[in-house]
């Protein structure tokens, strides 16, 4: 839509809420309550940005890649502050490159105690919901699909750069 006539974008950028966890169980007065969720990538992808999404009781969110060979790679961790919804954009030379078959593992932590300044009522159990007084846990990710030949070229280029 915004490109000049006849000019095509190099990539189709996707921005998606991935690994949404609808099964939150945050007991009253509990800190460090962890929930895990997963999203499979069926194509090679290059991640361009990560934005944690939690609500009032959110504390921290980390994402890792479970690679097809079973190895894991921590990608990002961010402390959550309900007053700041920050997108962490990756620099081109370090943007995660993930092969098809990778599973994105999202780990979210919640704090349902009185020491959490955003917590409206630490005496209540909290579960998933769309209201801010409920909670959520998912990763808002920006990425594009990478054809196999481009994926392999980028891996080789990074390998060369890291050995210099």
């Amino acid at each position: 839509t915004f490109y000049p006539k006849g000019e095509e974008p190099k990539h189709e950028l996707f921005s998606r809420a991935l690994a949404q966890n609808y099964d939150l169980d945050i007991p009253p007065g509990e800190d460090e309550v962890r929930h895990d969720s997963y999203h499979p990538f069926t194509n090679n992808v290059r991640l361009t940005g990560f934005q944690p999404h939690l609500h009032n009781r959110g504390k921290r969110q980390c994402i890792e890649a479970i690679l097809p060979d079973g190895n894991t790679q921590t990608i990002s961790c961010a402390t959550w502050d309900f007053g700041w919804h920050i997108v962490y954009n990756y620099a081109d030379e370090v943007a995660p490159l993930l092969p098809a078959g990778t599973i994105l593992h999202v780990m979210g932590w919640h704090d349902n105690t009185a020491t959490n300044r955003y917590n409206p009522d630490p005496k209540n159990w909290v579960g998933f919901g769309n209201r801010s007084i409920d909670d959520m846990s998912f990763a808002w990710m920006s990425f594009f699909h990478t054809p196999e030949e481009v994926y392999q070229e980028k891996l080789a280029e990074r390998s060369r750069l890291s050995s210099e």
Side-chain angles (χ1 to χ4, degrees), residues 18-21 34-41 47 50 61-67 71-77 98 101-109 137-139 141:
L18 300 182
Q20 294 196 42
N21 194 327
R34 178 177 162 170
H35 295 92
D36 296 74
S37 53
Y38 303 87
H39 175 82
F41 285 111
L47 302 181
F50 160 57
Q61 191 174 82
C62 295
I63 56 174
E64 73 176 2
I66 303 171
L67 301 169
N71 287 315
T72 60
Q73 174 185 1
T74 299
I75 299 173
S76 293
C77 285
L98 305 175
T102 296
I103 298 171
L104 183 71
H105 177 199
V106 178
M107 297 153 279
W109 288 266
S137 180
F138 65 83
M141 303 297 300

Side-chain angles (χ1 to χ4, degrees), residues 47-67:
L47 302 181
T48 62
F50 160 57
Q51 180 182 17
H53 189 91
L54 305 137
H55 281 185
N56 287 313
R57 293 164 185 87
K59 184 172 186 173
R60 184 167 179 74
Q61 191 174 82
C62 295
I63 56 174
E64 73 176 2
I66 303 171
L67 301 169

